[in-house]
Amino acid sequence: MQNEMEKVSGVADPVDRAKAAIDLMARYQSHVNELSRIRREAIEEAQAVGMTQAEIAKRLGVSRGRVGQLASAGPPPERAFFGTDLVTVSLGGKYEAGKAADQNPGEVVAREDLDNFEHLRKLLGGMKLDTQYEVIPPTGIVNLNRDNHVVICGPRLSPIVAQVLEGDDNLRFAKDRAWHLVDQVAGKEYRSPQDEDGSAGDIGYLGRLPRLDGKGTFLYVAGIHAIGANGVVHYLENNLAELYREVRTRRFSTLISCRYDPKTLEVQESRRITPLYRHEG
């Protein structure tokens, strides 16, 4: 830390020095936020196993009142579900409809996926995490070997994602007359209400999957139809703390069903319909 501050103070140009100081402060602030989260989670864990605030205070060398303050200060523990720093949300892109390849069609993102990003941005912002999005090109090529990464893209749009999904022995996408999801453990198929009776509902996949480099994981969200991903995001908005207590940052997968308003496409209800399948011990 001292060397970094000396380096900043040694920048000759005053504006460049100010910029360097701002950048370093932002980096340190992200560390402070994560340490505050870890502290809060640790105190909650201690209380969960039966320790009183007085006992915790004695161990920490602070007052009982201070323990109460620390137990509610900083980001909530479930912030770690998404990461520790700037979160990148990768959205599946398609070529503009109605344009031939020689017309240089642009890359577009479904309205539903942009809505998902906005919902995630607000959710993560409340936990002191910044968010940015990128568009996965229609080739489906996406770099999965990154920290703090969420991918919202159906397997039909990305062969790389489809390949990773094949490693899930519990849940997977399949296609016959229509795309659907299969619980291989229960031997049950889940089909979208849109395809069955035309009603305003869908089913989505939520999981934490392994990076290709074997050095971490990424969060994956997809629906049978685009709106199914919205159902997953709605579920996260309303059940993140409980979900984090169950799986922390370990690998898992599950299916989420949702109902939505067919006029506004706003999700009205979401619920988990399969177990939380753990992918590791």
Side-chain angles (χ1 to χ4, degrees), residues 124 143 204 222:
L124 273 61
N143 176 17

Side-chain angles (χ1 to χ4, degrees), residues 61-78:
V62 299
S63 68
R64 181 177 175 179
R66 180 57 177 158
V67 170
Q69 292 175 339
L70 295 178
S72 59
E78 57 268 23

Side-chain angles (χ1 to χ4, degrees), residues 152-165:
I152 304 179
C153 176
R156 63 182 177 175
L157 295 181
S158 174
I160 294 177
V161 169
Q163 182 179 4
V164 175
L165 279 169

Side-chain angles (χ1 to χ4, degrees), residues 4-12 17:
E4 289 179 306
M5 288 193 293
E6 289 176 356
K7 183 177 179 181
V8 169
S9 65
V11 174
R17 191 187 319 136

Side-chain angles (χ1 to χ4, degrees), residues 9-280:
S9 65
V11 174
D13 183 88
V15 177
D16 288 343
R17 191 187 319 136
K19 184 179 184 304
I22 290 170
D23 291 343
L24 186 59
M25 288 171 66
R27 185 148 58 88
Y28 284 159
Q29 186 58 52
S30 72
H31 295 327
V32 169
N33 287 336
E34 178 58 13
L35 288 170
S36 297
R37 186 205 68 81
I38 292 170
R39 180 185 62 194
R40 179 172 173 176
E41 183 175 39
I43 291 174
E44 289 183 6
E45 287 181 7
Q47 292 177 316
V49 298
M51 289 187 69
T52 66
Q53 286 194 352
E55 290 171 329
I56 297 171
K58 184 177 180 180
R59 290 275 303 273
L60 292 179
V62 299
S63 68
R64 181 177 175 179
R66 180 57 177 158
V67 170
Q69 292 175 339
L70 295 178
S72 59
E78 57 268 23
R79 176 184 192 262
F81 188 81
F82 287 97
T84 60
D85 207 336
L86 176 66
V87 174
T88 299
V89 181
S90 297
L91 305 175
K94 303 178 182 179
Y95 287 122
E96 288 180 277
K99 287 194 175 182
D102 59 1
Q103 294 179 295
N104 295 318
E107 299 173 4
V108 297
V109 175
R111 167 190 166 185
E112 293 90 339
D113 286 341
L114 288 175
D115 286 345
N116 280 329
F117 172 73
E118 283 303 311
H119 280 272
L120 286 175
R121 184 181 63 80
K122 292 177 183 177
L123 174 63
L124 273 61
M127 298 186 288
K128 298 184 179 180
L129 276 174
D130 291 328
T131 317
Q132 65 182 5
Y133 83 86
E134 66 179 18
V135 178
I136 300 173
T139 58
I141 302 302
V142 56
N143 176 17
L144 300 177
N145 300 329
R146 291 179 278 176
D147 295 331
N148 313 310
H149 192 199
V150 180
V151 176
I152 304 179
C153 176
R156 63 182 177 175
L157 295 181
S158 174
I160 294 177
V161 169
Q163 182 179 4
V164 175
L165 279 169
E166 290 179 1
D168 185 347
D169 295 328
N170 306 294
L171 304 168
R172 68 178 48 189
F173 284 86
K175 185 180 182 183
D176 43 29
R177 57 184 171 82
W179 282 95
H180 57 282
L181 283 153
V182 180
D183 183 333
Q184 299 184 108
V185 178
K188 185 175 180 179
E189 292 183 348
Y190 291 91
R191 295 182 179 270
S192 173
Q194 290 186 38
D195 301 323
E196 297 300 288
D197 58 20
S199 59
D202 201 26
I203 298 170
Y205 177 107
L206 167 64
R208 184 180 298 279
L209 302 177
R211 289 168 24 172
L212 296 177
D213 62 4
K215 297 179 180 179
T217 60
F218 65 96
L219 280 174
Y220 180 65
V221 173
I224 295 177
H225 298 283
I227 196 70
N230 296 62
V232 174
V233 171
H234 182 273
Y235 179 83
L236 290 172
E237 288 177 302
N238 292 280
N239 300 274
L240 181 58
E242 177 185 355
L243 179 62
Y244 178 71
R245 285 194 294 270
E246 290 285 338
V247 298
R248 300 290 174 129
T249 57
R250 296 185 292 271
R251 288 167 49 194
F252 77 97
S253 59
T254 192
L255 299 185
I256 307 296
S257 71
C258 71
R259 291 190 307 104
Y260 61 92
D261 184 319
K263 295 181 180 179
T264 65
L265 298 182
E266 285 294 320
V267 175
Q268 299 171 320
E269 176 186 288
S270 60
R271 63 186 181 90
R272 186 162 55 84
I273 56 175
T274 65
L276 287 167
Y277 288 116
R278 273 78 167 180
H279 295 188
E280 53 194 14

